Amino acid sequence: MPLGGEQPSIANEEKTKKRQLYKAKNQKRVYDEAGYRLRAAGLCVRAGSDGAIEVLLVTGSANHDHWIVPGGGLEDGENASGAALREVEEEAGIRGRIEQFVGEFKPSTSGKTDVLDEVATG
């Protein structure tokens, strides 16, 4: 039962079932030797017509009110750059190229690793 004693709504239960089904259809998740789930994201930037830097954001699959950079888990045999490019194309329909590696993040509480690559889309 959720915090506060509230019962989950039918809509939330359906969303959870759909997410579980989606995860079951996807390839095996990939983890590093420390147990972190390997993930990659693409920080897509371009110069707008007025010269201002534009950043691509997509809505989160679990919460459409949250705006995030496109990203997801590495597939078996895939490297972080390939995964970042694939995720950007899958989630935003954008093809780009890797300009630079931004960083690797290992949050101590989530159990996953995010590798952030900058993808130029202009």
Side-chain angles (χ1 to χ4, degrees), residues 8-21:
S9 71
I10 300 292
N12 284 341
E13 288 177 18
E14 289 300 315
K15 285 180 185 176
T16 300
K17 286 179 187 175
K18 285 181 182 177
R19 271 190 240 123
Q20 290 169 344
L21 181 60

Side-chain angles (χ1 to χ4, degrees), residues 17-72:
K17 286 179 187 175
K18 285 181 182 177
R19 271 190 240 123
Q20 290 169 344
L21 181 60
Y22 175 77
K23 287 178 185 176
K25 288 181 180 178
N26 280 333
Q27 290 190 356
K28 179 181 166 187
R29 292 182 173 179
V30 179
Y31 296 86
D32 70 5
E33 62 281 348
Y36 288 100
R37 181 173 171 222
L38 299 179
R39 298 172 39 90
L43 179 60
C44 302
V45 296
R46 71 176 183 187
S49 58
D50 62 355
I53 299 296
E54 296 177 346
V55 177
L56 174 71
L57 299 174
V58 297
T59 57
S61 60
N63 186 339
H64 295 295
D65 293 331
H66 291 166
W67 290 91
I68 59 174
V69 296

Side-chain angles (χ1 to χ4, degrees), residues 28-122:
K28 179 181 166 187
R29 292 182 173 179
V30 179
Y31 296 86
D32 70 5
E33 62 281 348
Y36 288 100
R37 181 173 171 222
L38 299 179
R39 298 172 39 90
L43 179 60
C44 302
V45 296
R46 71 176 183 187
S49 58
D50 62 355
I53 299 296
E54 296 177 346
V55 177
L56 174 71
L57 299 174
V58 297
T59 57
S61 60
N63 186 339
H64 295 295
D65 293 331
H66 291 166
W67 290 91
I68 59 174
V69 296
L74 270 65
E75 294 179 356
D76 200 22
E78 186 175 44
N79 65 28
S81 294
L85 291 170
R86 177 183 50 77
E87 290 291 341
V88 167
E89 186 168 359
E90 286 178 1
E91 296 182 11
I94 303 293
R95 288 189 181 166
R97 66 184 183 282
I98 302 293
E99 289 287 321
Q100 67 184 40
F101 174 73
V102 176
E104 180 175 292
F105 309 91
K106 289 188 178 183
S108 60
T109 58
S110 72
K112 61 185 179 185
T113 299
D114 285 317
V115 175
L116 192 60
D117 284 310
E118 178 181 357
V119 178
T121 61

